[in-house]
Amino acid sequence: MPEPESKDELELYLRDGNITTIRSPVRLKIIRLLQKNGSATFPEIQEETGLSKSTVSVYLNSLVDGGIISRVSGEYDRRHKSYVLSAKYIGTLAPSTYSAAAWFRELIRNTYTNYDKISYKAMLPHIFRIALAESGISIDPVLRRGGIILGESIVPFIVAETVEDTVANISEFWKRYEFGDLSLKSREPFVLEVKNCYECMTLPKGIAGGCVISTGIFEAVFSALFQKPAAVREVSCLSLGDPSCCFEISCNGDVKA
């Protein structure tokens, strides 16, 4: 069942070195259900899509054949089947009319004469991200995964016995590596604020995603601190015109310092 021609974005999924593109709203609805619940039975998927059994079977078979989802047998009854996501979401492709603002290109040019303040080495990640955006390519899931890898690597040095000490260690890490000025903005809800954020301060306004690497780092650090998955949501970002970047962190609904 090939994807129809459309100007909508394509989502990219990776499994065993193979990349599959998904645009179909029905396929995406099934994938969203599995992402949310971890697994789903045929009746649950049929209820979610509102389609007939035969139509749902066609979509499920195409996703299984494409390596996007897998059928699994029940633990106690092998006749009981459910579906799970078996591919990783890695990004999107979309028709793009985006072009980096003139001031950003001027900033790149001026970097040559302002090497004592900012270097091309520091600018390269931003330049690559802009080039991808101009091509209609988003790799935010990959960047977030990179943040998680970095966060997991520094956990032994960052995570302390208390939330306050952990935040202090994160703040020192951010300052040492010139990621920005990090502080605890709010306790309820639990929000970290980053001013002069390196990850997005030179991004042209309107680049979606913002600080996905930072989000991944915070996810890894606070999941390790609380010994259970932490959810991180960026609630404001310089790339959206906000004065600072703020991250709301929750763990089973609540995190209190």
Side-chain angles (χ1 to χ4, degrees), residues 52-221:
S52 67
K53 288 184 178 180
S54 60
T55 302
V56 170
S57 293
V58 171
Y59 279 106
L60 288 175
N61 288 336
S62 70
L63 287 169
V64 170
D65 292 342
I68 306 300
I69 67 175
S70 299
R71 295 185 184 92
V72 294
S73 300
E75 183 177 358
Y76 302 106
D77 184 355
R78 298 189 64 83
R79 295 171 299 177
H80 179 78
K81 304 289 185 180
S82 60
Y83 295 85
V84 297
L85 194 62
S86 54
K88 290 183 179 180
Y89 171 49
I90 60 173
T92 61
L93 287 173
S96 176
T97 57
Y98 175 83
S99 180
W103 71 263
F104 181 75
R105 296 182 184 276
E106 185 65 23
L107 176 63
I108 295 173
R109 283 191 290 270
N110 290 337
T111 297
Y112 189 84
T113 57
N114 290 282
Y115 60 88
D116 57 328
K117 297 179 181 178
I118 188 169
S119 68
Y120 279 120
K121 184 170 67 174
M123 288 292 294
L124 276 177
H126 303 300
I127 294 171
F128 290 151
R129 197 168 181 186
I130 295 303
L132 289 168
E134 289 187 337
S135 302
I137 301 172
S138 169
I139 57 168
D140 287 354
V142 177
L143 294 174
R144 182 175 180 134
R145 178 57 190 161
I148 291 173
I149 292 172
L150 173 56
E152 290 173 343
S153 299
I154 63 174
V155 157
F157 312 103
I158 297 295
V159 172
E161 293 185 0
T162 67
V163 174
E164 292 90 340
D165 288 343
T166 299
V167 171
N169 290 340
I170 297 173
S171 180
E172 174 60 28
F173 180 85
W174 244 245
K175 181 178 180 181
R176 177 183 298 179
Y177 294 101
E178 301 180 347
F179 289 171
D181 304 313
L182 183 147
S183 62
L184 179 63
K185 182 177 183 179
S186 169
R187 294 177 181 271
E188 295 185 35
F190 186 79
V191 177
L192 296 180
E193 180 179 35
V194 179
K195 296 181 179 179
N196 303 316
C197 177
Y198 163 77
E199 185 173 355
C200 71
M201 68 183 300
T202 58
L203 284 179
K205 300 299 183 289
I207 289 292
C211 306
V212 289
I213 297 176
S214 299
T215 299
I217 295 174
F218 296 142
E219 180 182 324
V221 169

Side-chain angles (χ1 to χ4, degrees), residues 4-15:
E5 291 187 7
S6 171
K7 291 186 178 180
D8 295 335
E9 66 181 25
L10 286 166
E11 293 196 357
L12 307 178
Y13 290 84
L14 175 69
R15 182 183 180 186

